[in-house]
Amino acid sequence: MEDLIFSLVMFVIIYLFYVIFVINKKSKLEKMKNNAGVVYLVNKYKLDLRKINMKVLAHMIALTNSFILSVTLFILSFVDNYMLKILLCFVIIIPFQYVMYMIIGKMYKKEKRSKK
């Protein structure tokens, strides 16, 4: 139970950090277009950034990244060996990030089709 609470607190802290230092600053929000996650979504799902509200996309990415990191921390809290933690971290984060960004891309693609 302690680990779950710790993960939830980390989720909130990471998300708030992202909101305060990236989303609320206009210059950082503009740089968000060059973010690896945004570039991946644009290339893979052919999204048009001119038609997408960048602030909403930034919030979705912040929530997704916070969720990925907090779930990874929760899972790693059950492992004691540090070498195994490092290995598991890569095994968990890469596919999980791919799946979560695929969900975001499909949501935006579906939204794009419904507007036509």
Side-chain angles (χ1 to χ4, degrees):
M1 188 66 175
E2 226 174 78
D3 296 329
L4 183 62
I5 293 171
F6 175 73
S7 295
L8 290 173
V9 168
M10 288 308 296
F11 172 82
V12 171
I13 289 171
I14 294 168
Y15 179 70
L16 288 176
F17 182 81
Y18 211 95
V19 168
I20 292 168
F21 293 107
V22 176
I23 297 173
N24 286 340
K25 293 188 178 186
K26 191 167 180 97
S27 63
K28 298 273 185 168
L29 192 60
E30 284 300 315
K31 290 181 183 177
M32 183 80 174
K33 292 178 182 178
N34 297 327
N35 179 309
V38 175
V39 170
Y40 171 76
L41 290 171
V42 168
N43 291 335
K44 175 82 174 170
Y45 298 100
K46 309 293 186 239
L47 300 180
D48 186 6
L49 286 180
R50 293 173 290 177
K51 296 179 182 177
I52 293 175
N53 184 346
M54 250 344 258
K55 205 161 197 169
V56 173
L57 180 60
H59 276 285
M60 287 184 75
I61 289 174
L63 284 169
T64 301
N65 290 341
S66 301
F67 181 71
I68 291 168
L69 290 174
S70 63
V71 167
T72 303
L73 283 172
F74 179 70
I75 293 170
L76 293 179
S77 68
F78 297 110
V79 179
D80 292 328
N81 186 336
Y82 287 109
M83 293 302 286
L84 188 58
K85 280 186 179 187
I86 293 170
L87 179 65
L88 269 176
C89 185
F90 287 113
V91 170
I92 293 169
I93 285 181
I94 294 171
F96 199 39
Q97 192 170 14
Y98 177 77
V99 168
M100 295 303 291
Y101 277 85
M102 180 183 71
I103 292 169
I104 292 173
K106 289 192 181 226
M107 283 174 43
Y108 270 103
K109 212 167 186 176
K110 185 178 180 182
E111 182 180 308
K112 181 179 165 184
R113 275 189 258 138
S114 66
K115 285 186 177 181
K116 283 186 178 180

